[in-house]
Amino acid sequence: MTLGKLLTAFGVILVVIGLVVSYAPWLISWFGRLPGDIRIENEQRFVFIPITSMLIVSIILTLIVNLFFRK
């Protein structure tokens, strides 16, 4: 895959993600609300560590990359 095609594919993916976030936020409303995600709220501070959500995103991206770029 040439660099131009790779950049074009990356741009299309970013546009699709942007459209989903803008017009269908309920599709990603699960992010950050799973068991295992740490939220510490105080009057002055807010700490958010999405451990479980990032594990799920990592697994999904690993599967996608292995499906499309495996030789």
Side-chain angles (χ1 to χ4, degrees):
M1 189 177 267
T2 64
L3 181 62
K5 289 182 181 178
L6 186 63
L7 287 173
T8 303
F10 187 66
V12 169
I13 290 169
L14 282 177
V15 168
V16 169
I17 290 172
L19 288 172
V20 167
V21 169
S22 296
Y23 295 109
W26 62 88
L27 291 176
I28 59 168
S29 63
W30 58 270
F31 188 80
R33 300 191 195 311
L34 294 175
D37 292 340
I38 300 171
R39 298 176 69 105
I40 302 171
E41 296 183 34
N42 200 346
E43 294 86 23
Q44 301 166 349
R45 296 185 193 122
F46 176 74
V47 177
F48 174 60
I49 306 170
I51 296 172
T52 307
S53 298
M54 294 287 37
L55 282 172
I56 291 175
V57 169
S58 176
I59 290 169
I60 291 170
L61 288 176
T62 301
L63 290 173
I64 290 171
V65 168
N66 282 328
L67 286 174
F68 288 112
F69 295 110
R70 192 171 212 170
K71 292 183 180 185

